[in-house]
Structure formats: structure tokens, C-alpha cells
Amino acid sequence: MTDAPKKDKPWLFRTYSGHSTAAASNALYRTNLKKGQTGLSVAFDLPTQTGYDSDHVLARGEVGKVGVPISHLGDMRTLFDQIPLAEMNTSMTINATAPWLLALYIAVAEEQGASAEQLQGTVQNDLIKEYLSRGTYICPPQPSLKMIADVAEYCYRNVPKWNPMNVCSYHLQEAGATPEQELAYALATGIAVLDELRPRVPAEDFPTVVGRISFFVNAGIRFVTEMCKMRAFVDLWDEICRERYGVEEEKFRRFRYGVQVNSLGLTEQQPENNVYRILIEMLAVTLSKKARARAVQLPAWNEALGLPRPWDQQWSLRMQQIMAYETDLLEFDDLFDGNPAVDRKVEALKDGARAELANLDSMGGAVKAIEYMKSRLVESNADRVNRIEREETIVVGVNRWTEAEPSPLMGSDGGIMTVDPAVEADQIARLDAWRSERDEAAVSAALAALRDAAEKGENVMPASIAAAKAGVTTGEWAAQMRSVHGEYRGPTGVAAGQSNKTEGLDDIRDAVDAVSDRLGRRLKFVIGKPGLDGHSNGAEQIAFRARDCGMDISYEGIRLTPEEIVTAAQEQNAHVVGLSILSGSHMPLVEDVLTRMREAGLGHIPVIVGGIIPEVDAQKMLTMGVARVYTPKDFELNSIMLDVVALADPKAVAAE
């Protein structure tokens, strides 16, 4: 009788979650852990991610929408109530405020009786991809890089089991990156951080620090290419660690990564098909033993529609469990070693990534190449959108086989969970109570010490932990960083001049010219992103196409107040105003913009809105006075361009 094969341990099962309040999220976490989830992945709301308290003007409508609001130690205490942090492996998807959220986590763990040496988990702490794709940055690149290194150095000395930086290529793919770009830009980020860290750490300990850097990647629907991309990541990171940093021990050169499979490819049309997409994408990061993920989190089938319900998240968790425990996947050696087709693709990806890495290196590295990388991503995303529009890329249910039966999964709740608008007021009330009950003298002293550390270039982690324990809030912590380092507005990637992608736009360009003649000047299209939503891909592609169609566009990027957008519309004599919101805060923000436009005498200017917007909300917006509402199903940008032309046409207005 032969011995049974020794099975590998399964990866960590995670679900990216958090919503409404710390108490509601805590209940969700404890339920998910009982269902077999083996690690936590915390989603924070946008005010927390961008360093604002829940009562800040920019937080209006955003509190608790895409994650949990954490304004102070009390919120963090509630979030992990009855969850022993000494035994938990926690991933926190937080970047600009990473030092602060880690400080709160350490403070709560110590309250529970755990030591920092016991803590296991990851803080994402990757600002470079925020400038390129996600938009939750605060400070300029160089001081942000310094704070990334602060966290890494502090963890090396005090929290040795913690991964202090999670190089995140996930959002690069969401922003349109090719596999070669995803490889190169992520690896360049890792290099930038290690170069910053090397002078801070004794040479003999540096390999250990290298070994704590982890990655967070995306796996798309082209699962053979994606599997080869992961093998290329493994080889290239090993090569960089060995050749650039002289790391001899193999275990410190391992490419350790967690993954969330692609959300960009999830469709609003026939959303039940997304279950198959998610499963296929998971194969890319689990089939190959050599490049298997350490942790996997899967989106839910309905994330193109809105916030998934607990049942939807459970369904995705069960997918992981079936793969790990019912199949024989974990009993075998690598299935692809020596496969000539795989080897060829891996080598081609590595060659492309090395060429782009050399290009970035010639520019001075990732930080100095941010504007270049951003423009390349916008161009790559434009190519992706063009291929879908031209049916060169088939997306089932979107541009082929669009007729379908109604989905029985779409219940009376619209197939998604909605956050009660009262959550925001409740969170603000708790914040007010926290401020009124704390020791103001201790808070003032802690903030002064924090600012002093930042001004002197010291590691901000010790002062941040002291501030957390004193009762400082998220907004107060970030205000010190803004005061010392300044704020930053990243590049939009949308150049002023037209691109070389104007093929097939002649009819629209002629229509723009004709309407511009009737208007007496070039059609002016002002595009704005109100609130804190940093997902700018859609707005960038609208601006990119509108520019190539001959419109005079104004797009200043993310994180604008409704007041700023209305002022821009007034000062630039807009003919049409476009708003892009993907965070679920569309109703209060759109209402605010419309009210301000009427008060400014701009009520005659058509307003169009795009985002992840449920049908019931879309109908409400049209009743409120919005001219058009677009959701991910409206993928044909040329149709949107023709709508803009028609809305701006003075002949059409006169006819009405």
C-alpha cells in the first residue's frame, strides 16, 4: 500500500469586507469566521482612507459606503471586539493612512493583552499605485515613500511577523495595465521601497526586511496568461532580490502574494455569469504550485451592481473551500513545470517587463516616473475599451449574446445591500461623543509630538501609536501630515492634445464641429468627480474620448467638492457637466451639485452622471433633473459622446 500524498496547506481564505459601522462590520467578521474564513480583510470607507473624520465636508455621503469608518481608537476597539488579534491574520487595505490604522490596530491588540511580536497580517501601505490608479493619496510622493519606509522599519524592529508593505498591482490591472505593465510597475514600486529602506537597516538584517515585503495582485479572465504572469512575478522578484540586493537565502526571495481576482471584468449585464468568471480567475492563482497565492479573496457575483450581501460573500467563500478541500489540487507537484507553451509565455512576459523596468530606471525609478506610468495606463485602458466596442474582445452578455432570461438571483432588494443613510449621522454622533469625553490636554500633547516627529524626519510610528492611545482622530492625524508635507494632486493621464486613436470618430467629430459652430465656440464639456471616490478610470476614458471627438474638455481629476465643480462650470462656461461617482454616494452628491447649479443660475446646463448606480436611484436622478444616467452596461463611449453633442445642441434646446 502506497503512502497517501502529502497535501499542501490551503491558502488563507479571506473576504474583503466592511461597511456601515464598526459594530456592523464586527458582526459580519465574526459570522464569516464561523463560516470557515481563516483571515480578515478589512475594507475602510473613503474618509478613513483619505484621512478625514466622518464629519468633514468631503466625507458627506461617503461614510460607511465602501468600507467601515474608523475615526479613532474606540471605533477600532469595536471593530475587533471578541476577535483575538494575537491569533488572527488581518489584512488592512489602507495606504495613505496606513501608519495611523496600524497604530490603532497595535493599540487595540495591546488592550487585548497581545504583544506586538505576536501580531500577524498585512497593511497595504502602497502609495505609488494610489497615484496611478486608486486615488486615496494625501501627501506628495517623496514624503509618502518615507512614511511607507517608517512602517516597514518599525515593523522590522517591533512587529516582526507583520508584512509592512503590500505592493499592490491589483488596481493597476483595473486601470487597464497590460500584464507587462503590471509586472514592471509593481516591481518598480517594490524596488523604490527597498531602496528607501536599505540605509535604515543593518546590512546583515536587510534580507529579513526584504522577506517581509509582500504583494497583492489581480487575476483576470485570460487565466493562462494570468497564471504565466504569476510565474513571471516569482522569477523576476527572485532575480531582483538576488542581483540587486544580494539576498542569498531563498526563503527571503520568495514572491509572497495575496490576490483578489478581477472586479473590472464583472458585468452588470447577466451578472450571474460573474460566478464563472470568478472561478476561472481563481484558477490562475491556485493551479500553479510554484506561483500559488498565500491568501485569496474573491469578489461577489453582484459587485458590478453594488454592495454584496452576506449570502453573496458566503457563496464566494464556498468557492474557495470547494477548490481547497473537495478537489485534489493540493496533492500534486506543480502542474506546469516543463510545459513549453507556459515557459515561452513566461519568458515573453519577463522580457517585456524587464524592458519596461529598464525604461523606468532610466527615468530615476518609480516615484519620478509616476506621470509617465499614469499616461501609459490611461492609453492602455483606452485600447481595452476600444477592443470591447469593436468586438475584438468578446464579453459574454455585453457585446455578444445579450438576450437573456431575467435572473432569479435579483430579489426585491435589487440583488445588493444598501447602507442606511442614517449611518452617517450615527457615526458623527459617536465621533462627537468621543471628542467630548477625551483628555484634550493629552490629545494636544500627542498631536504636537506627532507634528514634531514629522518635521524632524523621525519615524512617525511611535508618535502615531501614542496619539492613538491619547484619543486622536483619523482627521487630526492626517491634518498633521498635510500640514508638514502638503497635499498633492496626481496627474490625470489625460493630455491636452488629441491621441492617435481617432479612427472611426469622423462622424462624431463632424457633429461636434457643427454644434460648436451653432454655439459660437467649441463645445465645452466639464467632467468632475465629486466626493472622495478615487476610481477615476471611467472619468478618464470619457475625457479621453471626448477630447478625441473634438470637444473642449475640462477634467481636473479626483476629489472635488460640489462647490468646486459648479464654480468650474460657471467660470468655464460649460455646455454640459458630467459627474462620475462609483462609491455609492451618488444621491447626496448629485443633489448637492444640482442645487448649487440652480442657485448659481446654471440650471439650464445639462448634467449627466455615470457610476455604479442602481436602477431605482437612476430613476430618482432623472426626476431630480439629471439629463442622462450611465452605468457599466453603457460601455459604448461613442453613444455617450453623441448624447453630449445632442444635449449641447442649441437647435435641440430651441425645439424643446
Side-chain angles (χ1 to χ4, degrees):
M1 184 175 175
T2 59
D3 291 335
K6 185 175 182 291
K7 292 181 70 169
D8 289 340
K9 288 183 179 179
W11 51 90
L12 279 170
F13 303 157
R14 286 180 173 146
T15 304
Y16 180 55
S17 54
H19 66 86
S20 303
T21 65
S25 299
N26 171 262
L28 177 64
Y29 295 164
R30 286 191 282 123
T31 299
N32 285 349
L33 290 168
K34 287 177 183 175
K35 291 177 180 176
Q37 190 171 297
T38 53
L40 293 177
S41 179
V42 182
F44 297 98
D45 75 353
L46 287 173
T48 304
Q49 291 184 49
T50 50
Y52 294 108
D53 286 331
S54 298
D55 57 355
H56 192 278
V57 61
L58 276 169
R60 182 165 181 259
E62 308 277 18
V63 177
K65 287 286 173 61
V66 301
V68 57
I70 299 295
S71 293
H72 47 73
L73 183 62
D75 285 340
M76 193 66 110
R77 202 179 279 149
T78 301
L79 185 66
F80 293 110
D81 181 44
Q82 300 177 60
I83 298 174
L85 298 186
E87 303 168 20
M88 186 49 55
N89 191 304
T90 304
S91 171
M92 295 195 288
T93 304
I94 197 74
N95 295 287
T97 51
W100 175 242
L101 270 297
L102 181 57
L104 289 172
Y105 189 88
I106 291 170
V108 168
E110 289 178 351
E111 285 183 350
Q112 290 186 357
S115 69
E117 289 82 4
Q118 293 175 285
L119 301 182
Q120 297 185 70
T122 302
V123 66
Q124 192 163 95
N125 197 24
D126 177 357
L127 266 297
I128 291 177
K129 64 93 180 176
E130 294 299 319
Y131 303 125
L132 298 178
S133 55
R134 180 60 187 82
T136 68
Y137 53 79
I138 296 174
C139 298
Q142 204 58 52
S144 293
L145 185 62
K146 187 261 180 192
M147 282 189 275
I148 292 172
D150 283 356
V151 172
E153 182 188 11
Y154 185 84
C155 288
Y156 143 71
R157 298 185 191 282
N158 301 281
V159 200
K161 296 180 182 178
W162 195 267
N163 299 323
M165 200 263 176
N166 201 220
V167 180
C168 179
S169 71
Y170 174 84
H171 293 104
L172 301 179
Q173 187 177 128
E174 297 277 294
T178 65
E180 293 86 350
Q181 288 171 338
E182 188 180 343
L183 285 162
Y185 297 175
L187 293 169
T189 298
I191 288 168
V193 171
L194 290 178
D195 284 355
E196 180 79 10
L197 266 171
R198 184 145 49 168
R200 296 188 180 206
V201 178
E204 62 273 18
D205 291 345
F206 190 65
T208 307
V209 174
V210 173
R212 294 310 320 173
I213 300 295
S214 60
F215 288 74
F216 187 74
V217 307
N218 201 330
I221 195 66
R222 293 171 56 79
F223 83 99
V224 176
T225 296
E226 294 294 292
M227 184 271 293
C228 292
K229 179 189 76 182
M230 297 320 308
R231 294 172 77 90
F233 256 136
V234 168
D235 290 351
L236 288 168
W237 185 243
D238 183 86
E239 187 177 294
I240 288 166
C241 292
R242 189 177 63 253
E243 295 179 5
R244 186 181 183 101
Y245 299 112
V247 178
E248 296 295 334
E249 286 192 64
E250 186 275 334
K251 69 177 181 178
F252 295 136
R253 302 197 307 264
R254 283 183 197 143
F255 184 81
R256 300 177 309 118
Y257 77 98
V259 64
Q260 163 133 340
V261 305
N262 191 290
S263 295
L264 176 69
L266 302 184
T267 64
E268 182 182 6
Q269 304 93 316
Q270 303 176 32
E272 62 278 2
N273 294 338
N274 292 330
V275 174
Y276 304 129
R277 294 184 175 105
I278 293 165
L279 173 60
I280 290 167
E281 290 166 353
M282 182 172 68
L283 295 177
V285 294
T286 56
L287 284 183
S288 175
K289 180 176 180 177
K290 177 181 176 182
R292 184 171 292 145
R294 297 289 185 94
V296 177
Q297 58 192 45
L298 303 180
W301 68 279
N302 54 352
E303 286 195 20
L305 308 175
L307 191 65
R309 300 158 300 192
W311 181 86
D312 306 314
Q313 293 191 332
Q314 174 186 293
W315 199 9
S316 287
L317 173 62
R318 295 292 181 253
M319 195 183 296
Q320 294 202 57
Q321 291 168 324
I322 290 167
M323 178 69 75
Y325 295 118
E326 293 192 21
T327 78
D328 57 356
L329 172 67
L330 298 179
E331 297 173 12
F332 289 89
D333 290 335
D334 197 290
L335 305 178
F336 302 102
D337 276 352
N339 181 304
V342 169
D343 288 347
R344 279 195 303 272
K345 184 61 177 177
V346 170
E347 289 306 313
L349 289 171
K350 285 159 59 176
D351 288 345
R354 286 191 192 102
E356 187 66 342
L357 275 168
N359 189 23
L360 297 177
D361 198 47
S362 71
M363 297 179 189
V367 168
K368 292 184 178 176
I370 283 171
E371 192 162 346
Y372 161 78
M373 290 190 287
K374 178 66 176 178
S375 64
R376 288 294 307 274
L377 288 176
V378 172
E379 290 171 7
S380 295
N381 209 9
D383 289 338
R384 183 190 66 84
V385 171
N386 285 339
R387 288 193 298 272
I388 295 172
E389 286 182 301
R390 295 171 181 166
E391 295 191 23
E392 294 169 13
T393 295
I394 302 301
V395 184
V396 174
V398 173
N399 59 8
R400 191 77 65 87
W401 305 294
T402 55
E403 296 297 318
E405 298 295 323
S407 171
L409 295 174
M410 304 288 286
S412 59
D413 58 5
I416 57 172
M417 185 174 75
T418 55
V419 174
D420 186 344
V423 159
E424 187 166 319
D426 292 344
Q427 175 68 13
I428 291 171
R430 282 189 295 276
L431 177 59
D432 288 339
W434 176 267
R435 289 188 185 124
S436 68
E437 294 167 8
R438 65 188 182 174
D439 183 338
E440 286 301 326
V443 169
S444 296
L447 288 172
L450 177 64
R451 182 186 177 93
D452 186 57
E455 287 177 336
K456 290 179 178 176
E458 297 173 357
N459 192 311
V460 298
M461 281 302 300
S464 295
I465 295 170
K469 294 176 178 178
V472 165
T473 68
T474 297
E476 290 167 341
W477 180 89
Q480 300 306 311
M481 300 304 110
R482 287 182 165 95
S483 175
V484 174
H485 302 303
E487 290 199 67
Y488 180 74
R489 287 199 69 77
T492 66
V494 182
Q498 291 180 357
S499 74
N500 59 359
K501 304 182 195 305
T502 58
E503 182 183 349
L505 300 181
D506 290 347
D507 289 347
I508 304 176
R509 290 167 65 88
D510 289 344
V512 170
D513 289 343
V515 168
S516 297
D517 288 343
R518 287 194 285 276
L519 290 167
R521 59 188 174 89
R522 182 60 43 183
L523 191 165
K524 184 71 181 186
F525 186 18
V526 172
I527 302 161
K529 284 193 64 62
L532 297 176
D533 170 33
H535 283 108
S536 57
N537 304 330
E540 288 158 3
Q541 291 308 309
I542 292 290
F544 195 96
R545 183 65 59 85
R547 179 204 64 193
D548 284 355
C549 287
M551 299 181 202
D552 179 8
I553 63 156
S554 172
Y555 173 59
E556 298 301 321
I558 62 171
R559 223 182 297 169
L560 300 173
T561 64
E563 183 180 15
E564 288 171 328
I565 292 170
V566 173
T567 298
Q570 189 165 34
E571 291 178 348
Q572 299 185 44
N573 296 316
H575 295 118
V576 179
V577 172
L579 305 177
S580 171
I581 310 164
L582 285 88
S583 63
S585 59
H586 43 269
M587 291 305 294
L589 290 173
V590 169
E591 185 176 16
D592 195 354
V593 170
L594 291 175
T595 299
R596 289 176 182 275
M597 288 189 70
R598 292 185 188 113
E599 290 172 350
L602 306 178
H604 61 286
I605 299 176
V607 175
I608 63 176
V609 180
I612 299 176
I613 300 169
E615 180 61 26
V616 63
D617 288 353
Q619 292 303 317
K620 287 179 186 174
M621 285 186 191
L622 294 171
T623 303
M624 289 161 50
V626 171
R628 301 280 190 281
V629 178
Y630 303 101
T631 65
K633 71 179 184 300
D634 303 299
F635 68 95
E636 293 181 344
L637 298 190
N638 287 352
S639 295
I640 298 174
M641 296 302 108
L642 289 171
D643 285 350
V644 173
V645 173
L647 289 168
D649 191 346
K651 282 177 62 176
V653 173
E656 290 180 8

